[in-house]
Amino acid sequence: MTAAPVFDKGLANTIAAETQCSFIDGAKGILEYVGYDIDALARNASFEETVFLLWERRLPTRTELAELERSIRAEYDLPPAVWQMIREMPRTAHPMHMLRTVVSALGVHDPEADDNTVEANRRKSIRMLAKAPTIVANFDRHRKGKPFVKPDPSLGLAANFLQMLNGGRSTDAVARALDVCLVLHADHGLNASTFAARVTISTLSDMYSAITTAIGTLKGPLHGGANEEVMHMLNEIGSIGNVEPYIMGRLSRKDRIMGFGHRVYKAYDPRAGYLKTFAQRIAADTGNQGLYEMSTRIEEVMRREVAAKGIYPNVDFYSATTYHSIGIDLDLFTCMFAISRISGWTAHCMEQLETNRLIRPMAEYVGPHGQEWVAIGDRR
Ligand code: CMC
């Protein structure tokens, strides 16, 4: 016998899947990927190592990591038709609309798109993960009227992205700053976009459709779009002296402060802790100290005013300062989140298929019943 359905708005109290990818304890502020604490991963692991961990559910040996790196680098380049598609994109398009569209188009050019075997899904995961940085960096060049820069298979994913974006080699410190952000954003339980990806793959659709769905879901300001909003807010505040009146004004109008609060964490977001120290270092190295100081002042005011409600900085708050310091445009921030999260989305899709059951909740119907049909000419 099935249990009576319960209405749970926002699904906050519903467990809709089993996963071995990541564990979150929101009260204690713990996040683990496959049992490894996020802080240890951010300090020690490369993004590629994190990808291996999420896909294989164990850490790689040196040889296994080298093999994964090789297969990702071999897929950096895009099919000629996809380069052309980027060339034809409106320069004014929001990068998330562009990324969703071009990732979807990758499926059209992949003869394996509808092959849902484990091996084919792994190959498609590698392709999407490897190609997304090429798409984002070169769309940015296109909209700025700059020539494309082809990917460089001698570089890791973060350094390769920055080289395509800027047209030159970044320092190791800057590449590592991006690498750390990618590690921190890779997976996060059954967040909205991961849930969306799992729903799509549970219909036995395909990996490209699932990741396209997820990118569309990530785009919203209550999810991945928040880091962009944080940067808008920092620009609006403008100076450290303006922090207090700005924050107090917003709070008194019951407006949200972007980059604070979380549906799950009611303690300090564990992803924000190490990122804060990292943001400080990279801001100092790149002459963005003022931005970092403004951020810590916002945190102080928020701690005084709302920490009692369990509202602390989330991962987006200090990732905004970090991305700005390493020279990434504000409207690319959510794309950076997407590039990283492709690892988690694909891990969850492959996990879903291991023991698939169609995800299909119910709605509580609250509309009228028994209405009389009225001919179109008689309606008012
Ligand atoms: N600034 C000010 N007050 C807030 C904030 C905030 N950012 N977030 C929550 N609150 C208050 C809210 O006003 C409410 O107060 P009261 O009880 O007095 O009415 C209380 O906290 C509970 O709010 P809620 O809406 O029930 O909390 P939620 O769990 O539904 O919201 C959230 C979670 C992330 C949507 C929300 O905190 C928010 O809108 N934050 C800003 C957007 C943001 O930074 N999003 C990124 C999340 S982290 C990235 C990711 O993992 O996807």
Side-chain angles (χ1 to χ4, degrees):
M1 208 179 81
T2 31
V6 178
F7 178 44
D8 177 16
K9 193 170 182 186
L11 303 183
N13 296 305
T14 298
I15 296 173
E18 288 184 316
T19 184
Q20 296 179 47
C21 297
S22 53
F23 165 80
I24 304 168
D25 184 328
K28 293 191 184 133
I30 295 172
L31 169 63
E32 295 172 346
Y33 297 165
V34 198
Y36 293 94
D37 190 80
I38 192 65
D39 196 67
L41 291 168
R43 286 173 199 275
N44 300 300
S46 69
F47 177 58
E48 285 85 342
E49 214 169 356
T50 306
V51 173
F52 187 100
L53 175 64
L54 289 171
W55 287 353
E56 295 289 342
R57 299 178 205 144
R58 63 179 175 83
L59 288 172
T61 63
R62 212 184 286 279
T63 317
E64 287 169 331
L65 179 58
E67 176 49 28
L68 178 66
E69 287 172 348
R70 191 206 56 73
S71 45
I72 293 173
R73 292 171 188 204
E75 290 288 351
Y76 279 164
D77 209 347
L78 306 174
V82 176
W83 282 109
Q84 188 56 25
M85 193 178 179
I86 297 173
R87 209 170 274 123
E88 286 168 5
M89 279 280 160
R91 291 182 177 186
T92 50
H94 189 283
M96 282 296 279
H97 280 298
M98 179 284 304
L99 183 63
R100 187 198 58 234
T101 306
V102 179
V103 167
S104 178
L106 290 176
V108 177
H109 297 284
D110 189 338
E112 289 196 305
D114 284 317
D115 182 346
N116 262 339
T117 57
V118 173
E119 298 74 21
N121 280 343
R122 173 62 59 86
R123 287 192 289 274
K124 285 177 279 179
S125 301
I126 289 174
R127 283 178 202 136
M128 283 186 276
L129 188 83
K131 293 181 194 315
T134 311
I135 294 166
V136 173
N138 280 289
F139 170 71
D140 188 59
R141 298 189 67 81
H142 157 70
R143 68 181 180 166
K144 290 175 175 160
K146 296 177 181 170
F148 285 160
V149 172
K150 287 278 190 170
D152 180 348
S154 73
L155 297 175
L157 192 137
N160 173 51
F161 172 79
L162 290 167
Q163 177 159 294
M164 290 184 289
L165 189 76
N166 301 322
R169 264 312 244 283
S170 56
T171 64
D172 287 350
V174 166
R176 179 60 187 149
L178 179 57
D179 203 48
V180 168
C181 288
L182 297 177
V183 170
L184 291 171
H185 284 91
D187 196 44
H188 204 233
L190 204 58
N191 59 86
S193 55
T194 302
F195 181 56
R198 283 187 88 128
V199 169
T200 302
I201 205 70
S202 84
T203 69
L204 300 185
S205 181
D206 70 286
M207 294 293 272
Y208 289 103
S209 299
I211 303 312
T212 304
T213 305
I215 295 171
T217 308
L218 182 72
K219 179 173 164 290
L222 296 188
H223 190 8
N227 54 13
E228 196 176 319
E229 298 298 326
V230 172
M231 200 60 223
H232 280 300
M233 179 178 75
L234 291 171
N235 286 338
E236 226 180 299
I237 296 176
S239 70
I240 199 153
N242 199 27
V243 166
E244 176 97 24
Y246 180 94
I247 299 295
M248 294 309 288
R250 276 190 81 96
L251 289 179
S252 68
R253 292 189 300 275
K254 294 230 167 266
D255 287 343
R256 304 256 156 143
I257 308 298
M258 288 294 147
F260 282 81
H262 201 275
R263 171 60 64 82
V264 181
Y265 296 119
K266 300 304 168 197
Y268 209 97
D269 182 337
R271 301 168 296 176
Y274 181 57
L275 197 56
K276 181 179 175 180
T277 20
F278 218 86
Q280 179 179 25
R281 209 177 317 152
I282 206 77
D285 287 355
T286 54
N288 287 289
Q289 197 93 21
L291 201 63
Y292 177 78
E293 282 162 10
M294 211 155 62
S295 304
T296 52
R297 182 75 193 112
I298 296 171
E299 189 183 338
E300 279 165 24
V301 177
M302 286 295 280
R303 188 176 285 273
R304 188 187 71 211
E305 296 297 321
V306 294
K309 283 195 206 171
I311 300 167
Y312 294 94
N314 58 49
V315 66
D316 287 324
F317 190 60
Y318 285 105
S319 63
T321 313
T322 309
Y323 287 147
H324 179 83
S325 298
I326 61 184
I328 296 174
D329 282 0
L330 181 164
D331 64 353
L332 294 183
F333 287 7
T334 314
C335 288
M336 303 317 300
F337 192 158
I339 287 172
S340 164
R341 190 57 66 84
I342 288 174
S343 62
W345 292 329
T346 48
H348 276 266
C349 286
M350 292 186 278
E351 187 179 52
Q352 175 71 29
L353 289 176
E354 286 169 22
T355 55
N356 188 48
R357 183 159 195 237
L358 176 71
I359 301 174
R360 204 302 190 185
M362 285 173 281
E364 175 105 353
Y365 178 68
V366 293
H369 292 280
Q371 304 226 67
E372 289 289 330
W373 174 255
V374 180
I376 194 160
D378 298 334
R379 291 176 209 158
R380 40 183 93 232

